[in-house]
Amino acid sequence: VQLQASGGGSVQAGGSLRLSCAASGSVLRIHAVSWYRQAPGRQRELVAEITTGGSTNYAGSVKGRFTISRDRAKNTMYLQMNSLKPEDTAVYYCKEDISSDPWTRDDYWGQGTQVTVSS
């Protein structure tokens, strides 16, 4: 199983970006999905998630500006980021809880995509 993250880039404050994360390989079922970010000198933090039960959760700092979604048919999830702020600058990582067969379930991480927001 591989996760390919894309969509990062450089934007000015107030702009928008949409990140994508596509899963490929032996994917039987995707359970929970999430986006994390890590800014220089800081710990990786959870930005948004869709739980196994289908609930969405957001970090307080992005609530109302970011939207996580998924397309099960394409094994792809997205993070729509609006009203971006300089403090959103970070490397963004996707993580998915995936079963490759009926008996196992593991977490997989994408390679990270850089988001830079200038003031």
Side-chain angles (χ1 to χ4, degrees):
V1 175
Q2 289 187 327
L3 299 185
Q4 180 68 46
S6 61
S10 297
V11 296
Q12 290 191 327
S16 298
L17 285 173
R18 189 176 83 151
L19 306 183
S20 300
C21 180
S24 61
S26 298
V27 177
L28 176 64
R29 181 175 176 84
I30 301 175
H31 306 281
V33 296
S34 52
W35 287 97
Y36 285 74
R37 67 185 180 187
Q38 187 167 20
R42 302 189 68 176
Q43 289 190 331
R44 191 172 296 189
E45 64 174 353
L46 176 66
V47 175
E49 66 178 352
I50 302 176
T51 68
T52 301
S55 300
T56 56
N57 298 302
Y58 296 91
S61 59
V62 308
K63 195 172 294 185
R65 300 188 297 121
F66 291 12
T67 303
I68 188 172
S69 62
R70 65 192 300 180
D71 184 333
R72 286 188 178 273
K74 296 181 179 180
N75 284 345
T76 300
M77 69 160 173
Y78 306 95
L79 185 68
Q80 178 66 45
M81 305 185 294
N82 299 327
S83 301
L84 282 160
K85 304 176 181 180
E87 50 263 43
D88 295 318
T89 295
V91 177
Y92 284 71
Y93 299 89
C94 54
K95 187 183 82 168
E96 298 190 7
D97 177 10
I98 295 174
S99 290
S100 298
D101 57 55
W103 308 279
T104 59
R105 190 166 162 174
D106 294 293
D107 283 336
Y108 294 87
W109 289 85
Q111 84 283 10
T113 184
Q114 176 71 46
V115 172
T116 303
V117 185
S118 58
S119 57

